Amino acid sequence: MPEEKTEKVPLKNNILDRDAAQLASLIASWGMPAFHARQIFTWIYQRGVMDFGAMSDLPAGLRQRLNKEFCAGAVRLEETRMSADGTEKFLLRLADGGMIETVSIPASGRVTGCISSQVGCKFACRFCVSGTFGFRRNLSAGEMIEEALYLRHRSAAKSLTHAVFMGSGEPLDNYDNVLRAVRMLNAKDGLNIGARRITISTNGLIPQIRRLAGEGLQIELSVSLHAADDRTRSLLMPVNKRYPLKDLVPACREYRQKTGRQVTFEYVLIRGINSSLADARKLGKILRGFDCKVNLIPLNAQTDPGLVPPERSETAAFRQEVAKSGVPVTIRQQRGEDIEAACGQLRSSYERRVHAGRHHHERH
Ligand code: SAH
């Protein structure tokens, strides 16, 4: 196998890892006025300027010091795909050579960023390619913030209105960094995205769901359910052996009670595995009386040729059957199917091409 391309980049501190208060106290410790932190934040988060040299209202000494101590992000674009529906996917190379995907999904008046939280994934869900190359590492908060800044910069309207942690990785397995990133996405002097426009999607890590309930955040929580019985769910999601449905659903009910926030259950429909009317009835039964929502997602492409989405009519019938239980249920509109936009697909196709020696490195 060819060697992996890793460029030796000196790993400076990423200024995107600091919030405004942390930066202010650092600048004060350098013997300079703390208010410069606010100016730096305005350059980065309002104006999208990442070059310290261009921050013209800062004293020259501070600009030099910043240059010496910090980088402002360090991702490089490796590949990009634009879908006919406007969804755009970016394969980004991190400073240490790790690769992540980040996706921008425009829809009337909004732009949603789909953020990756880890390089690779530990959880090996059968239908998801993010885990294909195993787990490499957690992303820092600053790296996730850089994904968001990058998507905002690339968007036609230069705006990012929503963020969903539905890229590669399990956000609650990188709890502290993801929560810091959420707070910086939400901060007025940060990306200023309303908490209700930020979604964390989890495969169902119960201790972290409990912890999240105590954070006092108004964010959206999505839980990937994908089956309504433990046998099927363990088959699709090995994590179910550790956190089975009988514990997960009550933990989500507690989350609802404690936070007052509705939980959305995601359910990827896979023909012949979890898409029958009997499955729909089981789902309705385990969620009956629970103030929650269900979002059905017809499977996007295949890691396993045996896994395919159901016919449209079967999806519609499944939805109707769930709706009989009184739980609000929608079918997610599929976006970006023509550009390998499901979790990890572009990275995985890239890695296959690199390993096959067919990829020629391009600079952007
Ligand atoms: N680890 C988090 C975030 C993953 S991605 C989680 O499990 O929720 C967000 C959603 O996309 C999850 O519900 C995931 O199960 C789903 N997903 C992954 N691969 C998919 C595919 N091939 N088709 C459709 N949905 C997929």
Side-chain angles (χ1 to χ4, degrees):
M1 246 201 283
E3 265 179 71
E4 193 174 347
K5 277 180 300 187
T6 38
E7 231 162 89
K8 288 279 171 252
V9 182
L11 288 175
K12 286 196 213 174
N13 282 320
N14 186 354
I15 201 161
L16 305 179
D17 273 314
R18 312 274 167 143
D19 63 29
Q22 290 169 326
L23 191 59
S25 61
L26 182 70
I27 291 173
S29 78
W30 293 343
M32 285 180 251
F35 71 80
H36 290 313
R38 245 183 298 138
Q39 293 170 301
I40 297 167
F41 260 59
T42 304
W43 282 108
I44 295 177
Y45 293 99
Q46 315 303 313
R47 301 182 196 157
V49 172
M50 310 288 259
D51 171 6
F52 301 125
M55 299 181 180
S56 52
D57 54 0
L58 299 183
L62 178 56
R63 280 183 265 159
Q64 271 167 15
R65 185 78 192 252
L66 290 170
N67 257 324
K68 197 169 122 231
E69 310 268 348
F70 284 115
C71 60
V75 303
R76 285 194 303 131
L77 181 64
E78 196 70 36
E79 271 192 15
T80 172
R81 299 278 169 88
M82 170 71 103
S83 161
D85 66 18
T87 301
E88 201 168 358
K89 178 151 201 164
F90 305 96
L91 184 65
L92 302 177
R93 185 177 287 278
L94 304 167
D96 69 348
M99 294 223 284
I100 52 161
E101 303 174 349
T102 190
V103 185
S104 131
I105 308 160
S108 51
R110 46 158 94 179
V111 181
T112 302
C114 179
I115 309 287
S116 287
S117 55
Q118 297 180 318
V119 183
C121 186
K122 296 173 189 170
F123 293 91
C125 298
R126 278 264 312 271
F127 50 85
C128 179
V129 288
S130 291
T132 313
F133 298 93
F135 172 74
R136 186 147 156 191
R137 68 170 173 88
N138 284 330
L139 295 189
S140 70
E143 286 172 323
M144 293 180 258
I145 291 300
E146 193 176 5
E147 290 180 64
L149 285 170
Y150 189 82
L151 292 172
R152 189 181 71 176
H153 168 71
R154 293 289 301 229
S155 83
K158 293 274 178 279
S159 90
L160 188 69
T161 61
H162 293 69
V164 296
F165 286 85
M166 292 190 184
S168 66
E170 165 52 39
L172 296 188
D173 184 49
N174 182 13
Y175 190 96
D176 293 334
N177 292 347
V178 166
L179 266 282
R180 290 187 56 213
V182 164
R183 293 201 160 92
M184 286 156 72
L185 289 171
N186 180 227
K188 288 266 177 304
D189 57 8
L191 277 114
N192 196 19
I193 300 175
R196 293 177 181 219
R197 296 175 165 201
I198 300 173
T199 301
I200 289 182
S201 179
T202 178
N203 63 17
L205 303 180
I206 293 174
Q208 286 92 323
I209 291 174
R210 295 217 167 99
R211 193 171 157 201
L212 190 64
E215 297 282 354
L217 285 166
Q218 294 287 303
I219 57 169
E220 300 289 326
L221 179 65
S222 282
V223 176
S224 295
L225 211 59
H226 306 335
D229 65 82
D230 281 314
R231 197 190 58 82
T232 311
R233 192 164 189 269
S234 295
L235 185 82
L236 293 174
M237 304 178 73
V239 71
N240 190 65
K241 291 175 197 141
R242 210 153 99 223
Y243 300 119
L245 285 169
K246 69 166 175 38
D247 301 329
L248 177 58
V249 175
C252 294
R253 288 183 195 258
E254 276 168 39
Y255 182 92
R256 165 74 183 82
Q257 278 196 323
K258 189 156 179 196
T259 63
R261 307 284 302 152
Q262 245 182 2
V263 172
T264 298
F265 290 103
E266 292 163 280
Y267 192 105
V268 170
L269 285 165
I270 309 172
R271 191 164 85 199
I273 295 198
N274 65 1
S275 65
S276 72
L277 290 180
D279 294 315
R281 281 191 286 274
K282 268 190 256 171
L283 181 60
K285 199 168 159 200
I286 64 170
L287 300 181
R288 184 159 296 141
F290 184 4
D291 176 29
C292 64
K293 291 179 278 194
V294 170
N295 194 11
L296 303 174
I297 314 163
L299 180 74
N300 190 330
Q302 305 78 34
T303 39
D304 175 333
L307 303 183
V308 293
E311 303 290 337
R312 244 171 220 281
S313 57
E314 197 182 343
T315 301
F318 189 97
R319 192 192 82 80
Q320 279 199 332
E321 193 63 32
V322 177
K324 284 184 193 162
S325 68
V327 176
V329 50
T330 50
I331 300 173
R332 184 186 294 173
Q333 208 195 335
Q334 280 175 293
R335 303 285 305 264
E337 261 186 298
D338 52 335
I339 56 163
E340 305 176 292
C343 306
Q345 287 180 354
L346 179 57
R347 171 167 178 245
S348 137
S349 95
Y350 175 92
E351 304 268 6
R352 271 185 269 115
R353 280 174 283 138
V354 168
H355 289 159
R358 274 182 280 131
H359 185 79
H360 302 288
H361 192 226
E362 285 165 38
R363 284 193 173 269
H364 297 263

